[in-house]
Amino acid sequence: MGQVRHGSATTTHAVRTAIQRSRASLAQLSNELGINPKTVAKWRKRATVEDMKTGPTEPRSTVLTEAEEAAIVAFRRHTLKSLNCRK
């Protein structure tokens, strides 16, 4: 079974491992693998070949205040309605 990658990923675990083990220059590796030299440099600096999580560590609304969001969550829990409820 193949590895699941996020939409903008340009490398796999195998490619990342090869980058970290290789003694070739950034330019040579990027040409061989067909990826940006910055990507090669990034994976060379990292200790692992795992992707880091992206996004905020604490998700929150950018539109609603904390009080408004709490009121909406309380209402949804009380009525047991989902966000996409149209009735």
Coordinates of all heavy atoms in Angstrom, one line a residue:
M1 N 0.9 -1.2 0.0 CA 0.0 0.0 0.0 C 0.9 1.2 0.0 O 1.9 1.3 0.7 CB -0.9 0.0 1.2 CG -1.9 1.1 1.3 SD -3.4 0.9 2.2 CE -2.8 1.0 3.9
G2 N 0.5 2.3 -0.8 CA 1.3 3.5 -0.9 C 1.2 4.4 0.3 O 0.3 4.3 1.1
Q3 N 2.1 5.3 0.4 CA 2.1 6.3 1.5 C 1.2 7.4 1.2 O 1.1 7.9 0.1 CB 3.6 6.8 1.7 CG 3.7 7.8 2.7 CD 5.1 8.4 2.8 OE1 6.0 7.9 2.2 NE2 5.2 9.5 3.4
V4 N 0.4 7.8 2.2 CA -0.5 8.9 2.0 C 0.2 10.2 2.3 O 0.9 10.4 3.3 CB -1.7 8.8 3.0 CG1 -2.6 10.0 2.9 CG2 -2.5 7.5 2.7
R5 N 0.2 11.1 1.4 CA 0.9 12.4 1.5 C -0.1 13.5 1.5 O -1.2 13.4 0.9 CB 1.9 12.7 0.4 CG 3.0 11.6 0.3 CD 4.0 11.9 -0.7 NE 3.4 11.9 -2.1 CZ 4.1 12.3 -3.1 NH1 5.3 12.8 -3.0 NH2 3.5 12.3 -4.3
H6 N 0.2 14.7 2.1 CA -0.7 15.8 2.0 C -0.6 16.4 0.6 O 0.3 16.1 -0.1 CB -0.5 16.8 3.1 CG 0.9 17.4 3.1 ND1 1.3 18.4 2.3 CD2 2.0 17.1 3.9 CE1 2.5 18.7 2.5 NE2 3.0 18.0 3.5
G7 N -1.5 17.3 0.3 CA -1.6 17.8 -1.1 C -0.4 18.5 -1.6 O -0.1 18.4 -2.8
S8 N 0.4 19.2 -0.8 CA 1.5 19.9 -1.4 C 2.8 19.2 -1.1 O 3.9 19.8 -1.4 CB 1.6 21.3 -0.8 OG 1.7 21.2 0.6
A9 N 2.8 18.0 -0.6 CA 4.0 17.2 -0.4 C 4.7 16.9 -1.7 O 4.1 16.5 -2.7 CB 3.7 15.9 0.4
T10 N 6.1 17.1 -1.7 CA 6.8 16.7 -2.9 C 7.8 15.6 -2.7 O 8.5 15.1 -3.6 CB 7.7 18.0 -3.4 OG1 8.5 18.3 -2.3 CG2 6.8 19.1 -3.8
T11 N 7.8 15.1 -1.5 CA 8.7 14.0 -1.1 C 8.0 12.9 -0.4 O 6.9 13.1 0.2 CB 9.9 14.5 -0.2 OG1 9.3 15.0 0.9 CG2 10.7 15.5 -1.0
T12 N 8.6 11.7 -0.4 CA 8.1 10.5 0.4 C 9.1 10.2 1.5 O 10.2 10.8 1.5 CB 7.9 9.3 -0.5 OG1 9.2 8.9 -1.0 CG2 6.9 9.5 -1.6
H13 N 8.8 9.3 2.4 CA 9.7 8.9 3.4 C 11.0 8.4 2.8 O 12.1 8.7 3.3 CB 9.1 7.8 4.3 CG 8.2 8.3 5.4 ND1 7.0 8.9 5.0 CD2 8.2 8.3 6.7 CE1 6.4 9.2 6.2 NE2 7.1 8.9 7.2
A14 N 10.9 7.6 1.7 CA 12.1 7.1 1.1 C 13.0 8.2 0.5 O 14.2 8.1 0.7 CB 11.6 6.1 0.0
V15 N 12.4 9.2 -0.1 CA 13.1 10.3 -0.7 C 13.8 11.1 0.4 O 15.0 11.5 0.4 CB 12.2 11.2 -1.6 CG1 12.9 12.5 -1.9 CG2 11.8 10.4 -2.8
R16 N 13.0 11.3 1.5 CA 13.6 12.1 2.7 C 14.8 11.3 3.3 O 15.8 11.9 3.7 CB 12.5 12.3 3.7 CG 11.4 13.2 3.2 CD 10.2 13.2 4.2 NE 9.0 13.7 3.5 CZ 7.8 13.5 3.9 NH1 7.6 12.8 5.0 NH2 6.8 13.9 3.3
T17 N 14.6 10.0 3.4 CA 15.7 9.2 4.0 C 16.9 9.3 3.0 O 18.1 9.4 3.5 CB 15.3 7.7 4.1 OG1 14.1 7.7 5.0 CG2 16.4 6.9 4.7
A18 N 16.7 9.2 1.7 CA 17.8 9.3 0.8 C 18.5 10.7 0.9 O 19.7 10.7 0.8 CB 17.3 9.1 -0.6
I19 N 17.7 11.7 1.0 CA 18.3 13.1 1.2 C 19.2 13.1 2.4 O 20.3 13.6 2.4 CB 17.2 14.1 1.3 CG1 16.5 14.3 -0.1 CG2 17.7 15.4 1.8 CD1 15.2 15.1 0.0
Q20 N 18.7 12.6 3.5 CA 19.5 12.6 4.8 C 20.7 11.8 4.8 O 21.7 12.1 5.4 CB 18.6 12.3 6.0 CG 17.5 13.3 6.3 CD 16.6 13.0 7.4 OE1 16.6 11.8 7.9 NE2 15.8 13.9 7.8
R21 N 20.7 10.7 4.0 CA 21.9 9.8 3.9 C 22.9 10.2 2.9 O 24.1 9.9 3.0 CB 21.4 8.4 3.7 CG 20.7 7.8 4.8 CD 20.3 6.4 4.5 NE 19.6 5.8 5.7 CZ 18.9 4.7 5.6 NH1 18.7 4.0 4.5 NH2 18.3 4.3 6.7
S22 N 22.5 11.0 1.9 CA 23.3 11.3 0.8 C 24.4 12.3 1.1 O 24.2 13.2 1.9 CB 22.5 11.9 -0.4 OG 23.3 12.3 -1.4
R23 N 25.6 12.2 0.5 CA 26.7 13.2 0.7 C 26.7 14.1 -0.5 O 27.6 15.0 -0.6 CB 28.0 12.4 0.8 CG 28.1 11.5 2.0 CD 28.3 12.3 3.2 NE 28.4 11.4 4.4 CZ 27.8 11.7 5.5 NH1 27.1 12.7 5.7 NH2 27.9 10.8 6.5
A24 N 25.8 14.0 -1.5 CA 25.8 14.9 -2.7 C 25.4 16.3 -2.3 O 24.8 16.5 -1.2 CB 24.9 14.3 -3.7
S25 N 25.8 17.2 -3.2 CA 25.4 18.6 -2.9 C 23.9 18.9 -3.0 O 23.2 18.0 -3.6 CB 26.2 19.5 -3.9 OG 25.6 19.3 -5.2
L26 N 23.5 20.0 -2.5 CA 22.0 20.3 -2.6 C 21.6 20.4 -4.0 O 20.5 19.9 -4.4 CB 21.8 21.7 -1.9 CG 22.0 21.8 -0.4 CD1 21.7 23.2 0.1 CD2 21.1 20.8 0.3
A27 N 22.4 21.1 -4.9 CA 22.0 21.3 -6.3 C 22.0 19.9 -7.0 O 21.0 19.7 -7.8 CB 23.0 22.2 -7.0
Q28 N 22.9 19.1 -6.7 CA 22.9 17.8 -7.4 C 21.7 16.9 -7.0 O 21.1 16.3 -7.8 CB 24.2 17.0 -7.1 CG 24.4 15.7 -7.8 CD 25.7 15.0 -7.4 OE1 26.5 15.5 -6.6 NE2 25.9 13.9 -8.0
L29 N 21.4 16.9 -5.7 CA 20.3 16.1 -5.2 C 19.0 16.7 -5.8 O 18.1 15.9 -6.2 CB 20.3 16.1 -3.7 CG 21.0 15.0 -3.0 CD1 20.9 15.1 -1.5 CD2 20.4 13.6 -3.4
S30 N 18.8 18.0 -5.7 CA 17.6 18.6 -6.2 C 17.4 18.3 -7.7 O 16.2 18.1 -8.1 CB 17.5 20.1 -5.9 OG 18.5 20.8 -6.7
N31 N 18.5 18.3 -8.5 CA 18.3 18.0 -9.9 C 18.0 16.5 -10.1 O 17.1 16.2 -10.9 CB 19.6 18.3 -10.7 CG 19.8 19.7 -10.9 OD1 18.8 20.5 -11.0 ND2 21.0 20.2 -11.0
E32 N 18.6 15.6 -9.3 CA 18.3 14.2 -9.4 C 16.9 13.8 -9.1 O 16.2 13.0 -9.7 CB 19.3 13.4 -8.5 CG 20.7 13.3 -9.0 CD 21.6 12.5 -8.1 OE1 21.0 11.8 -7.2 OE2 22.8 12.6 -8.2
L33 N 16.4 14.5 -8.0 CA 15.1 14.1 -7.5 C 14.0 15.0 -8.1 O 12.8 14.7 -7.8 CB 15.1 14.3 -5.9 CG 16.1 13.4 -5.2 CD1 16.2 13.8 -3.7 CD2 15.7 11.9 -5.4
G34 N 14.4 16.1 -8.8 CA 13.4 17.0 -9.3 C 12.6 17.8 -8.3 O 11.4 18.0 -8.5
I35 N 13.3 18.2 -7.3 CA 12.7 19.0 -6.2 C 13.5 20.3 -6.0 O 14.6 20.3 -6.4 CB 12.5 18.2 -4.9 CG1 13.8 17.7 -4.4 CG2 11.4 17.1 -5.1 CD1 13.7 17.0 -3.1
N36 N 12.9 21.2 -5.3 CA 13.6 22.5 -5.0 C 14.8 22.3 -4.0 O 14.7 21.5 -3.1 CB 12.6 23.4 -4.4 CG 13.0 24.8 -4.3 OD1 14.1 25.1 -3.7 ND2 12.2 25.7 -4.8
P37 N 15.9 23.0 -4.3 CA 17.0 22.9 -3.4 C 16.7 23.2 -1.9 O 17.2 22.7 -1.0 CB 18.0 23.9 -3.9 CG 17.7 24.0 -5.3 CD 16.2 23.8 -5.4
K38 N 15.7 24.1 -1.7 CA 15.3 24.5 -0.4 C 14.6 23.3 0.3 O 14.8 23.1 1.6 CB 14.3 25.6 -0.4 CG 14.9 27.0 -0.7 CD 13.8 28.1 -0.7 CE 14.4 29.4 -1.1 NZ 13.4 30.5 -1.1
T39 N 13.9 22.4 -0.4 CA 13.3 21.2 0.1 C 14.4 20.3 0.6 O 14.3 19.7 1.7 CB 12.4 20.6 -0.9 OG1 11.4 21.5 -1.3 CG2 11.8 19.3 -0.3
V40 N 15.5 20.1 -0.2 CA 16.6 19.3 0.1 C 17.2 19.8 1.4 O 17.5 19.0 2.3 CB 17.6 19.2 -1.0 CG1 18.8 18.4 -0.6 CG2 17.0 18.6 -2.3
A41 N 17.5 21.1 1.5 CA 18.1 21.7 2.7 C 17.2 21.5 3.9 O 17.8 21.2 5.0 CB 18.4 23.2 2.4
K42 N 15.9 21.6 3.8 CA 15.0 21.5 4.9 C 15.1 20.0 5.5 O 15.2 19.9 6.7 CB 13.6 21.7 4.4 CG 12.5 21.4 5.5 CD 11.1 21.7 5.0 CE 10.6 20.6 4.1 NZ 9.2 20.8 3.8
W43 N 15.1 19.0 4.6 CA 15.1 17.7 5.0 C 16.5 17.3 5.6 O 16.6 16.4 6.4 CB 14.6 16.7 4.0 CG 13.1 16.9 3.8 CD1 12.4 17.4 2.8 CD2 12.1 16.5 4.8 NE1 11.1 17.4 3.0 CE2 10.9 16.9 4.2 CE3 12.1 16.0 6.1 CZ2 9.7 16.7 4.9 CZ3 11.0 15.8 6.7 CH2 9.7 16.2 6.2
R44 N 17.5 17.9 5.1 CA 18.9 17.6 5.6 C 19.0 18.1 7.1 O 19.7 17.5 7.9 CB 19.9 18.3 4.8 CG 20.2 17.6 3.5 CD 21.8 17.4 3.5 NE 22.1 16.5 2.4 CZ 22.9 16.9 1.4 NH1 23.4 18.1 1.3 NH2 23.2 16.0 0.5
K45 N 18.3 19.2 7.4 CA 18.4 19.8 8.7 C 17.6 19.0 9.8 O 17.9 19.0 10.9 CB 17.9 21.2 8.7 CG 18.9 22.2 8.1 CD 18.4 23.7 8.4 CE 17.2 24.0 7.6 NZ 16.8 25.4 7.7
R46 N 16.6 18.3 9.3 CA 15.7 17.7 10.3 C 16.3 16.4 10.8 O 17.0 15.7 10.1 CB 14.3 17.4 9.6 CG 13.6 18.7 9.4 CD 12.1 18.4 9.1 NE 11.4 19.6 8.8 CZ 10.2 19.7 8.4 NH1 9.5 18.6 8.2 NH2 9.6 20.8 8.1
A47 N 15.9 16.0 12.0 CA 16.4 14.8 12.6 C 15.5 13.5 12.2 O 16.0 12.4 12.2 CB 16.3 14.9 14.1
T48 N 14.3 13.8 11.8 CA 13.4 12.6 11.4 C 12.9 12.9 9.9 O 13.1 14.0 9.4 CB 12.2 12.5 12.3 OG1 11.3 13.6 12.0 CG2 12.6 12.5 13.7
V49 N 12.3 11.9 9.4 CA 11.7 12.0 8.0 C 10.2 12.2 8.1 O 9.5 12.1 7.1 CB 12.0 10.8 7.1 CG1 13.5 10.7 6.9 CG2 11.5 9.5 7.8
E50 N 9.6 12.4 9.3 CA 8.2 12.6 9.5 C 7.8 14.1 9.2 O 8.6 15.0 9.6 CB 7.8 12.2 10.9 CG 8.1 10.8 11.3 CD 7.4 9.8 10.4 OE1 6.2 10.0 10.1 OE2 8.0 8.8 10.0
D51 N 6.6 14.2 8.6 CA 6.1 15.6 8.4 C 5.7 16.2 9.7 O 5.2 15.5 10.6 CB 4.8 15.5 7.5 CG 5.1 15.8 6.1 OD1 6.2 16.4 5.8 OD2 4.3 15.3 5.3
M52 N 5.9 17.5 9.9 CA 5.5 18.2 11.1 C 4.0 18.6 10.9 O 3.6 18.8 9.8 CB 6.4 19.5 11.3 CG 7.8 19.2 11.6 SD 8.6 20.8 11.9 CE 10.2 20.2 12.3
K53 N 3.3 18.7 12.0 CA 2.0 19.2 11.9 C 2.0 20.7 11.5 O 2.8 21.4 11.9 CB 1.3 19.0 13.3 CG 0.9 17.6 13.6 CD 0.0 17.6 14.8 CE -0.6 16.2 15.0 NZ -1.9 16.2 14.6
T54 N 0.9 21.0 10.8 CA 0.8 22.4 10.4 C -0.5 23.0 11.0 O -1.3 22.3 11.5 CB 0.7 22.5 8.8 OG1 -0.5 21.8 8.4 CG2 1.9 22.0 8.1
G55 N -0.6 24.3 11.0 CA -1.7 25.0 11.5 C -1.5 25.3 13.0 O -0.5 25.1 13.6
P56 N -2.5 26.0 13.5 CA -2.4 26.5 14.9 C -2.4 25.3 15.9 O -3.1 24.3 15.6 CB -3.7 27.3 15.1 CG -4.6 26.8 14.1 CD -3.8 26.3 12.9
T57 N -1.7 25.5 17.0 CA -1.8 24.4 18.0 C -3.1 24.4 18.8 O -3.5 23.4 19.3 CB -0.6 24.7 19.0 OG1 -0.7 26.0 19.6 CG2 0.7 24.5 18.4
E58 N -3.7 25.6 18.8 CA -5.0 25.7 19.5 C -6.0 26.3 18.5 O -6.0 27.5 18.3 CB -5.0 26.6 20.7 CG -5.3 25.9 22.0 CD -5.2 26.8 23.2 OE1 -6.2 27.6 23.3 OE2 -4.3 26.7 23.9
P59 N -6.8 25.5 17.7 CA -7.7 26.1 16.8 C -8.8 27.0 17.4 O -9.3 26.7 18.5 CB -8.4 24.8 16.1 CG -7.7 23.7 16.6 CD -6.9 24.1 17.8
R60 N -9.0 28.1 16.8 CA -10.1 29.0 17.2 C -10.7 29.7 16.1 O -10.0 29.8 15.0 CB -9.5 29.9 18.3 CG -8.4 30.8 17.8 CD -7.9 31.7 18.9 NE -6.6 32.3 18.5 CZ -6.5 33.3 17.7 NH1 -7.5 33.8 17.0 NH2 -5.3 33.8 17.4
S61 N -11.8 30.3 16.3 CA -12.5 31.0 15.2 C -11.8 32.4 15.0 O -11.3 33.0 15.9 CB -13.9 31.3 15.6 OG -14.6 32.1 14.6
T62 N -11.7 32.8 13.7 CA -11.1 34.1 13.4 C -12.2 35.1 13.2 O -12.0 36.3 13.0 CB -10.3 34.0 12.1 OG1 -11.1 33.5 11.0 CG2 -9.1 33.1 12.3
V63 N -13.5 34.7 13.3 CA -14.6 35.5 13.0 C -15.4 35.8 14.3 O -15.8 36.9 14.6 CB -15.6 34.9 12.0 CG1 -16.8 35.8 11.7 CG2 -14.8 34.7 10.7
L64 N -15.6 34.8 15.1 CA -16.4 34.9 16.3 C -15.6 35.1 17.5 O -14.4 34.7 17.6 CB -17.2 33.5 16.6 CG -18.1 33.0 15.4 CD1 -18.6 31.7 15.8 CD2 -19.2 34.0 15.2
T65 N -16.2 35.8 18.5 CA -15.5 36.0 19.8 C -15.6 34.7 20.6 O -16.4 33.8 20.2 CB -16.1 37.1 20.6 OG1 -17.5 36.7 21.0 CG2 -16.1 38.4 19.9
E66 N -14.8 34.5 21.6 CA -14.9 33.3 22.4 C -16.3 33.1 23.0 O -16.8 32.0 23.1 CB -13.9 33.3 23.5 CG -12.5 33.1 23.0 CD -11.5 33.0 24.2 OE1 -11.8 32.5 25.3 OE2 -10.3 33.4 24.0
A67 N -17.0 34.2 23.4 CA -18.3 34.1 24.0 C -19.3 33.7 22.9 O -20.2 32.8 23.2 CB -18.7 35.5 24.6
E68 N -19.2 34.2 21.7 CA -20.1 33.8 20.6 C -19.9 32.4 20.3 O -20.9 31.6 20.1 CB -19.9 34.7 19.4 CG -20.3 36.1 19.6 CD -19.9 37.0 18.4 OE1 -18.8 36.7 17.8 OE2 -20.6 38.0 18.2
E69 N -18.7 31.9 20.2 CA -18.4 30.6 19.8 C -18.9 29.6 20.9 O -19.5 28.6 20.6 CB -16.9 30.4 19.7 CG -16.5 29.0 19.1 CD -15.0 28.9 18.8 OE1 -14.3 29.9 18.9 OE2 -14.6 27.8 18.4
A70 N -18.8 30.0 22.2 CA -19.3 29.2 23.3 C -20.8 29.1 23.2 O -21.4 28.0 23.5 CB -18.8 29.7 24.6
A71 N -21.5 30.2 22.9 CA -22.9 30.2 22.8 C -23.4 29.2 21.7 O -24.4 28.5 21.8 CB -23.5 31.6 22.6
I72 N -22.7 29.3 20.5 CA -23.1 28.4 19.4 C -22.9 26.9 19.7 O -23.7 26.1 19.5 CB -22.3 28.8 18.2 CG1 -22.8 30.2 17.7 CG2 -22.4 27.8 17.0 CD1 -21.9 30.8 16.6
V73 N -21.7 26.6 20.4 CA -21.4 25.3 20.8 C -22.5 24.8 21.8 O -23.0 23.6 21.6 CB -20.0 25.1 21.3 CG1 -19.8 23.8 22.0 CG2 -19.0 25.4 20.2
A74 N -22.8 25.6 22.7 CA -23.9 25.2 23.7 C -25.2 25.0 23.0 O -25.9 24.0 23.3 CB -24.0 26.3 24.8
F75 N -25.6 25.8 22.1 CA -26.9 25.6 21.4 C -26.8 24.4 20.6 O -27.8 23.6 20.6 CB -27.1 26.8 20.4 CG -28.3 26.7 19.6 CD1 -29.6 26.9 20.1 CD2 -28.2 26.3 18.3 CE1 -30.7 26.7 19.3 CE2 -29.3 26.2 17.5 CZ -30.6 26.4 18.0
R76 N -25.7 24.1 19.9 CA -25.7 22.9 19.1 C -25.7 21.6 19.9 O -26.3 20.6 19.6 CB -24.4 22.9 18.2 CG -24.4 23.9 17.1 CD -23.2 23.8 16.2 NE -22.9 22.5 15.8 CZ -21.7 22.0 15.7 NH1 -20.7 22.7 16.1 NH2 -21.5 20.7 15.3
R77 N -25.1 21.7 21.1 CA -25.1 20.5 22.0 C -26.5 20.3 22.5 O -27.0 19.2 22.7 CB -24.1 20.7 23.1 CG -22.7 20.5 22.7 CD -21.8 20.4 23.9 NE -20.4 20.2 23.5 CZ -19.4 20.7 24.0 NH1 -19.5 21.5 25.0 NH2 -18.2 20.4 23.5
H78 N -27.2 21.4 22.8 CA -28.6 21.3 23.4 C -29.6 20.8 22.3 O -30.4 20.0 22.6 CB -29.0 22.7 23.9 CG -30.4 22.7 24.4 ND1 -30.8 22.1 25.6 CD2 -31.6 23.3 23.8 CE1 -32.1 22.3 25.7 NE2 -32.6 23.0 24.7
T79 N -29.4 21.3 21.1 CA -30.4 20.9 20.0 C -29.9 19.7 19.2 O -30.6 19.1 18.4 CB -30.6 22.0 19.0 OG1 -29.3 22.4 18.4 CG2 -31.2 23.2 19.7
L80 N -28.6 19.2 19.4 CA -28.0 18.1 18.7 C -28.0 18.3 17.2 O -28.2 17.4 16.5 CB -28.7 16.8 19.1 CG -28.8 16.4 20.6 CD1 -29.6 15.2 20.8 CD2 -27.3 16.3 21.1
K81 N -27.9 19.6 16.8 CA -27.8 19.9 15.4 C -26.4 20.0 14.9 O -25.5 20.6 15.6 CB -28.6 21.1 15.1 CG -30.1 20.9 15.3 CD -30.9 22.1 14.7 CE -32.4 21.8 15.0 NZ -33.2 22.4 14.0
S82 N -26.1 19.6 13.7 CA -24.8 19.8 13.1 C -24.6 21.2 12.5 O -25.6 21.9 12.3 CB -24.5 18.7 12.1 OG -25.3 18.9 11.0
L83 N -23.4 21.5 12.0 CA -23.2 22.8 11.4 C -23.9 22.9 10.1 O -24.3 24.0 9.6 CB -21.7 23.0 11.2 CG -20.9 23.4 12.4 CD1 -19.4 23.4 12.1 CD2 -21.4 24.7 13.0
N84 N -24.1 21.8 9.3 CA -24.7 21.9 8.0 C -26.2 21.6 8.0 O -26.7 21.2 7.0 CB -23.9 20.9 7.1 CG -24.0 19.5 7.5 OD1 -24.5 19.2 8.6 ND2 -23.4 18.6 6.8
C85 N -26.8 21.7 9.2 CA -28.2 21.4 9.3 C -29.0 22.6 8.5 O -28.8 23.7 8.8 CB -28.7 21.4 10.7 SG -30.4 21.1 10.9
R86 N -29.9 22.2 7.6 CA -30.6 23.2 6.8 C -32.1 23.3 7.3 O -32.8 24.0 6.7 CB -30.5 22.8 5.4 CG -29.1 22.9 4.8 CD -29.1 22.5 3.4 NE -27.7 22.3 3.0 CZ -27.1 23.1 2.1 NH1 -27.8 24.1 1.5 NH2 -25.9 22.9 1.8
K87 N -32.5 22.5 8.2 CA -33.9 22.5 8.6 C -34.1 23.2 9.9 O -33.3 23.4 10.7 CB -34.4 21.1 8.7 CG -34.5 20.3 7.4 CD -35.0 19.0 7.6 CE -35.1 18.2 6.3 NZ -35.6 16.9 6.4

